[in-house]
Amino acid sequence: MNFLGYVVLGGLSYAAGWAIRIYVLDKQPEPEQPYNLKHPAILGYLGGFFIIMLMVSWLLGRYVLGHVHIDIPFIIVNSLVATFVYSFGLNPEKARYDIPD
């Protein structure tokens, strides 16, 4: 995969997190504990996406990159990076960055 392929994969990961936040989390009633990256629902979505990305990374390595054997470092690093980018789209804190004065 070239740089453009990784940019597209990152964009799709971010868009998936954003879609979950907008179409699933924002449609539910306000939880008792506010959503943040330590909330159990958010952690569940992150874990589920990581597992999905493990399979997608294996398929990318096998059929796009032509790795004959299972390339464990590629699969794990690719999945972690995609899940990290996904967390930015999933993060419901929106644009409250609390910039110091």
Side-chain angles (χ1 to χ4, degrees):
M1 282 178 58
N2 56 15
F3 181 72
L4 181 61
Y6 284 112
V7 169
V8 169
L9 183 63
L12 291 173
S13 298
Y14 181 83
W18 179 82
I20 293 292
R21 178 173 46 112
I22 296 297
Y23 296 114
V24 176
L25 295 178
D26 285 352
K27 302 284 185 201
Q28 296 176 354
E30 284 292 319
E32 294 176 10
Q33 175 188 357
Y35 287 123
N36 57 22
L37 291 177
K38 296 178 183 175
H39 191 278
I42 300 293
L43 290 175
Y45 282 116
L46 287 173
F49 186 79
F50 179 72
I51 291 170
I52 291 170
M53 279 310 299
L54 285 173
M55 291 182 282
V56 168
S57 297
W58 174 74
L59 291 172
L60 282 173
R62 176 80 172 134
Y63 297 108
V64 174
L65 300 175
H67 298 161
V68 177
H69 302 289
I70 295 178
D71 189 3
I72 298 294
F74 169 76
I75 292 170
I76 291 174
V77 170
N78 195 46
S79 299
L80 284 174
V81 171
T83 304
F84 180 71
V85 172
Y86 173 78
S87 71
F88 283 109
L90 186 63
N91 189 359
E93 295 175 2
K94 298 182 174 79
R96 297 182 308 201
Y97 293 114
D98 297 330
I99 299 172
D101 294 333

